Amino acid sequence: MNPSNPSNLLNPSNLPVWDIIPQRPPMLMVDRLLSYDPAASESELLIRPENIFLSDVLQTAGIVEHIAQTCAARIGYYNKYILHRPIVIGYIGAIRRLDVVRHPSVGEELLTRIEVLGEAFGLTLVHAVVRTRQGELIAEGEMKIALSEA
């Protein structure tokens, strides 16, 4: 995969995720950005035994971090491949109405969709839905991400 190849730019799933987010193992909680759209994006994560948020099952903090990194991947893709700017660091500003239905286990694959509810003054508010590959709801809620200045 060559990120400089223009054919890759339309399909974020062909790009290595470490090109668009600042996190690195063991904190890497997104395997791929599956889709990018200014209003919504999707990512995936396979729960592996070495996941640092694992304690028999993926803990709530891991689900939250996965949602936040899905947001980071969306913003990173936009900055790097559309605006041609550097990747910026984001911080969780607030979590609202997070409902964790259940905690996934090793071997399960999460598909997460974030929909942008609003963006202003370096803040992004998203609605997130986390499901298993089979479509079972894992968690749903809202998150506010604050971006550092580049």
Side-chain angles (χ1 to χ4, degrees):
M1 285 178 272
N2 181 358
S4 63
N5 180 343
S7 66
N8 285 342
L9 298 182
L10 298 178
N11 186 353
S13 66
N14 289 339
L15 302 169
V17 72
W18 56 84
D19 274 2
I20 56 175
I21 64 174
Q23 291 83 1
R24 297 291 180 261
M27 284 297 294
L28 192 59
M29 293 294 293
V30 170
D31 291 333
R32 274 192 316 159
L33 181 64
L34 298 173
S35 66
Y36 167 84
D37 181 280
S41 293
E42 295 178 313
S43 75
E44 69 180 3
L45 172 69
L46 175 65
I47 309 300
R48 294 177 178 85
E50 64 273 12
N51 189 299
I52 65 169
F53 294 103
L54 200 65
S55 177
D56 293 327
V57 293
L58 186 66
Q59 299 300 298
T60 299
I63 294 169
V64 167
E65 185 62 23
H66 172 60
I67 293 169
Q69 288 189 29
T70 300
C71 295
R74 176 193 162 270
I75 294 165
Y77 180 86
Y78 177 72
N79 281 332
K80 185 167 184 173
Y81 293 107
I82 295 172
L83 296 180
H84 304 288
R85 293 184 180 163
I87 304 302
V88 295
I89 305 291
Y91 303 94
I92 298 171
I95 300 168
R96 296 190 322 183
R97 295 183 279 259
L98 181 66
D99 181 25
V100 177
V101 176
R102 79 168 178 85
H103 294 88
S105 301
V106 170
E108 289 190 271
E109 192 168 25
L110 303 182
L111 300 177
T112 299
R113 178 177 175 82
I114 56 165
E115 294 183 14
V116 177
L117 301 176
E119 292 182 294
F121 307 109
L123 297 173
T124 302
L125 177 62
V126 301
H127 177 258
V129 177
V130 182
R131 296 186 181 277
T132 64
R133 171 72 65 188
Q134 294 74 28
E136 181 185 356
L137 182 64
I138 295 295
E140 185 171 5
E142 293 179 3
M143 183 177 288
K144 189 181 295 181
I145 301 291
L147 298 178
S148 66
E149 295 188 21

